[in-house]
Amino acid sequence: MSEYKFKYHPDPLKTGEFKNDQIMVCDCCGKQTDVYYTGPFYSIDNVDYLCPECISSGEAAKKFDGSFQDSESVDEVSDPAKLDELVHRTPGYCGWQQEYWLAHCDDYCAFLGYPTWDDLEKMGIDKEIEETYREDVCGIDFEDAREHIEVNGCYLFGCLHCGKHFIYIDFD
């Protein structure tokens, strides 16, 4: 697993998007793999399992004409190659509703996981999250968002360049 680096999702095993609890057959290359992806993949074909190699090389997206992230549900960055890497060669994450990928410093952020508010406090980034919170993306003000974090999805991102942290939340 360590030979496959994903710039925008640095630890998909930790976030739970990769599993390593059994041997599966990759739907793309047909090889057995002990690390496999079960997260979102948007394709006409029914794809159940993908190995890290087929994701990182872009072969899975190419073979199935699919994507790991909706290209319309992302912040804008100036370099189209970055969007291509995010959509076609980066494991996605599972959102409660529609996943959205945040960007900062003109690049996509790294997806870091699914924290609760207590997790953010323990990490010591709760005040930073309050400062970087984006009502324009989440649709509700910060105080309402804090209440929703515990009952709905909270998704943590980190800027690859300046190190700031951001959250995106789902709510009903």
Side-chain angles (χ1 to χ4, degrees), residues 26-125:
C26 176
D27 290 330
C28 183
C29 66
K31 296 178 185 173
Q32 289 187 342
T33 180
D34 61 348
V35 176
Y36 57 95
Y37 177 71
T38 61
F41 184 67
Y42 306 99
S43 171
I44 294 172
D45 297 296
N46 186 17
V47 178
D48 294 317
Y49 308 106
L50 294 169
C51 69
E53 182 178 355
C54 288
I55 295 171
S56 67
S57 69
E59 283 302 310
K62 182 178 177 182
K63 178 176 183 174
F64 298 111
D65 191 25
S67 64
F68 297 93
Q69 173 66 35
D70 175 7
S71 63
E72 298 299 314
S73 296
V74 298
D75 280 345
E76 288 186 34
V77 299
S78 61
D79 183 353
K82 293 175 180 178
L83 178 62
D84 181 61
E85 181 174 353
L86 177 68
V87 170
H88 297 121
R89 294 185 306 282
T90 301
Y93 71 93
C94 293
W96 184 68
Q97 294 184 37
Q98 175 64 45
E99 298 85 8
Y100 190 88
W101 212 286
L102 299 173
H104 194 257
C105 294
D106 199 32
D107 199 356
Y108 293 105
C109 293
F111 177 70
L112 302 175
Y114 306 93
T116 64
W117 187 255
D118 285 344
D119 294 333
L120 297 173
E121 287 177 333
K122 287 175 188 169
M123 294 167 69
I125 61 171

